[in-house]
């Protein structure tokens, strides 16, 4: 075990040439980041998750009810033991052959059976109220941490001159503000990583999972090898758009369409300008070029920058989704549907009574869109980048 730890914490990987871990031990004169500082993030992540549950129950939920947001979810499918058994034990998406077999067994039209499975899948999705509570929690945290970051960073020298991130590196002392900022951000993203499996599941689940992993790895990397100064810039820049994203979702869930549209436009402008403009010009420029000039590359420097570039690719993907939604919104006059929606479109009949047994030659109505259950995303067209970054 000692050999594995020695290999993992190899100084030649983590630190610049001629720098050792002993050089970065805490002294009476200066405190430096220590890997063991991050251990507290795991129990703190659990505490944040518990605070979230209390917040959603006693603060967000009453606010949602005050805005007359309904707790009811998508329409429930008519109880049917045979279809329920197929749904729970065999498949949630029956193929054409199985649909034909069920049609003969139940004497139901295939279209009616398809609608039953669609409704049954949708009824497992959370209600609008649950989505509002989730967004209000994230909005509250992002607003707090972004405000804290701005107030802290405006007093620093590296906000105004990014070359200050690398002068005297890695012998830059750790301040209380940086330590608090890092631990809180890391704890929050750890809580998001685990709660992603219990939260609203969206189409970009794997992309968001990758995003959370990359973010946690970046935070850990930059703290351990004392790239904390540039790390604070990255975190604050990302939090800016997230505040607008969550409040836009809240406006959508409250059916304030004009406010939602306005906030979405603001979010899109901030997101695209910060992630495709400021991030590469300001952040990548200093981590790739200024640090190369002042400090020089070393193994963990390459890993850190590769993760930052991976983040840039994710930014580009989400920007594409935002532009796609914006173009559709312009053509329709409003933001209408999130590309990441998990609530499936249903026929016009889904708004009617539960399906009853019918003959196989039954003529169904034409397909439409159930506007009540068209999305579960970030906006009713929602911002496409959850949580995140």
């Amino acid at each position: 075990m000692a050999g594995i730890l020695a290999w993992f914490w190899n100084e030649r990987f983590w630190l610049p040439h001629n720098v050792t871990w002993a050089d970065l031990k805490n002294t009476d004169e200066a405190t430096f980041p220590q890997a063991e500082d991050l251990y507290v993030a795991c129990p703190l992540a659990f505490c944040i998750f518990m605070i979230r549950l209390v917040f959603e129950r006693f603060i967000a939920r009453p606010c949602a009810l005050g805005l007359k947001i309904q707790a009811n979810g998508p329409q429930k499918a008519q109880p049917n033991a045979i279809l329920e058994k197929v749904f729970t034990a065999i498949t949630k998406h029956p193929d054409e052959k199985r649909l034909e077999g069920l049609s003969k067994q139940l004497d139901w039209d295939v279209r009616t059976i398809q609608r039953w499975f669609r409704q049954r899948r949708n009824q497992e999705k959370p209600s609008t109220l649950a989505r509002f509570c989730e967004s209000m929690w994230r909005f509250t945290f992002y607003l707090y941490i972004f405000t804290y970051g701005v107030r802290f960073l405006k007093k620093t020298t590296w906000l105004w001159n990014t070359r200050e991130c690398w002068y005297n590196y890695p012998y830059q002392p750790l301040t209380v503000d940086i330590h608090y900022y890092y631990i809180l951000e890391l704890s929050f993203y750890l809580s998001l990583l685990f709660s992603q499996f219990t939260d609203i599941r969206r189409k970009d689940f794997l992309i968001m999972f990758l995003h959370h992993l990359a973010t946690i790895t970046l935070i850990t990397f930059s703290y351990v090898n004392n790239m904390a100064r540039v790390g604070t810039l990255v975190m604050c820049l990302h939090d800016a758009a997230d505040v607008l994203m969550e409040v836009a979702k809240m406006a959508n869930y409250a059916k304030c369409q004009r406010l939602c549209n306005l906030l979405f436009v603001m979010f899109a402008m901030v997101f695209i300008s910060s992630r495709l403009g400021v991030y590469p010009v300001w952040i990548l420029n200093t981590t790739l070029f200024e640090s190369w000039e002042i400090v020089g590359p070393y193994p963990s420097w390459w890993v850190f920058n590769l993760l930052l570039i991976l983040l840039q690719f994710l930014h580009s993907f989400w920007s594409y989704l935002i532009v796609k939604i914006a173009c559709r919104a312009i053509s329709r006059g409003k933001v209408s549907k999130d590309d990441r929606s998990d609530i499936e479109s249903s026929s016009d009949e889904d708004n009617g009574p539960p399906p009853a047994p019918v003959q196989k030659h039954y003529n169904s109505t034409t397909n439409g869109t159930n506007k009540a259950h068209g999305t579960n995303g970030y906006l009713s067209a929602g911002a496409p980048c959850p949580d995140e970054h």
Side-chain angles (χ1 to χ4, degrees), residues 66-365:
L67 293 170
K68 302 187 185 305
I69 296 176
Q70 299 299 317
N72 57 302
Q75 179 181 342
K76 293 185 177 181
Q78 175 189 9
N80 185 288
I82 295 175
L83 295 181
E84 184 68 26
K85 183 176 180 180
V86 173
F87 183 87
T88 56
I90 302 176
T91 179
K92 296 182 180 181
H93 299 270
D95 55 23
E96 184 177 349
K97 183 178 179 180
R98 190 176 297 278
L99 287 171
E100 290 290 344
L102 290 170
S103 176
K104 294 176 181 179
Q105 184 177 358
L106 296 172
D107 198 26
W108 281 21
D109 182 76
V110 169
R111 171 78 179 281
T112 304
I113 297 174
Q114 288 176 323
R115 185 169 64 251
W116 187 96
F117 274 92
R118 182 167 54 244
Q119 290 178 334
R120 181 64 181 83
R121 290 191 296 268
N122 283 345
Q123 77 181 46
E124 295 186 338
K125 307 300 180 182
S127 65
T128 302
L129 186 143
R131 298 176 219 153
F132 179 91
C133 291
E134 178 189 328
S135 291
M136 187 171 179
W137 160 251
R138 295 192 182 197
F139 164 75
T140 303
F141 179 85
Y142 288 137
L143 181 61
Y144 167 74
I145 201 66
F146 176 68
T147 303
Y148 176 85
V150 170
R151 292 183 62 185
F152 154 62
L153 285 171
K154 71 180 182 180
K155 304 173 186 176
T156 65
T157 57
W158 60 88
L159 175 66
W160 314 107
N161 178 13
T162 53
R163 297 179 71 87
E164 291 286 343
C165 293
W166 312 108
Y167 291 146
N168 196 37
Y169 176 84
Y171 304 106
Q172 299 164 342
L174 177 69
T175 66
V176 174
D177 286 328
I178 293 178
H179 180 261
Y180 174 78
Y181 197 18
Y182 257 79
I183 295 299
L184 195 57
E185 287 272 18
L186 178 60
S187 300
F188 179 71
Y189 280 102
L190 282 172
S191 72
L192 285 185
L193 182 69
F194 297 120
S195 65
Q196 191 181 4
F197 295 93
T198 59
D199 283 344
I200 302 163
R201 191 180 181 95
R202 297 185 174 93
K203 290 180 181 179
D204 64 348
F205 174 88
L206 290 178
I207 292 176
M208 286 307 301
F209 187 77
L210 177 63
H211 169 269
H212 294 333
L213 280 178
T215 303
I216 291 168
T217 306
L218 276 167
I219 292 174
T220 303
F221 251 77
S222 60
Y223 188 87
V224 169
N225 62 6
N226 205 12
M227 290 184 178
R229 291 186 176 183
V230 72
T232 57
L233 300 179
V234 174
M235 292 188 293
C236 190
L237 179 66
H238 281 73
D239 291 334
D242 293 335
V243 174
L244 291 170
M245 175 183 67
E246 298 300 337
V247 74
K249 289 159 58 179
M250 291 164 58
N252 171 66
Y253 298 143
K255 298 183 179 179
C256 300
Q257 190 61 51
R258 289 185 179 180
L259 179 59
C260 172
N261 292 344
L262 174 62
L263 290 169
F264 175 75
V265 171
M266 293 173 60
F267 161 73
M269 292 174 61
V270 172
F271 185 94
I272 294 174
S273 62
S274 63
R275 309 292 177 95
L276 298 187
V278 177
Y279 181 82
V281 172
W282 192 41
I283 301 297
L284 292 182
N285 176 66
T286 191
T287 60
L288 287 169
F289 303 111
E290 291 178 351
S291 66
W292 182 294
E293 177 186 343
I294 298 172
V295 180
Y298 52 99
S300 68
W301 179 93
W302 289 103
V303 174
F304 182 68
N305 277 287
L306 283 174
L307 289 170
L308 290 175
I309 292 171
L310 169 63
L311 212 53
Q312 183 63 73
F313 281 113
L314 293 176
H315 294 164
S316 301
F317 170 74
W318 285 320
S319 296
Y320 160 75
L321 292 182
I322 292 173
V323 171
K324 187 177 179 181
I325 290 173
C327 291
R328 188 167 58 218
I330 292 172
S331 64
R332 296 183 180 180
K334 68 174 184 177
V335 179
S336 59
K337 188 183 178 192
D338 188 351
D339 282 353
R340 308 180 330 141
S341 172
D342 297 312
I343 300 291
E344 303 172 56
S345 297
S346 53
S347 71
D348 294 332
E349 295 175 280
D350 288 355
N351 289 325
V358 293
Q359 297 301 318
K360 285 177 281 186
H361 60 272
Y362 171 78
N363 292 322
S364 58
T365 59

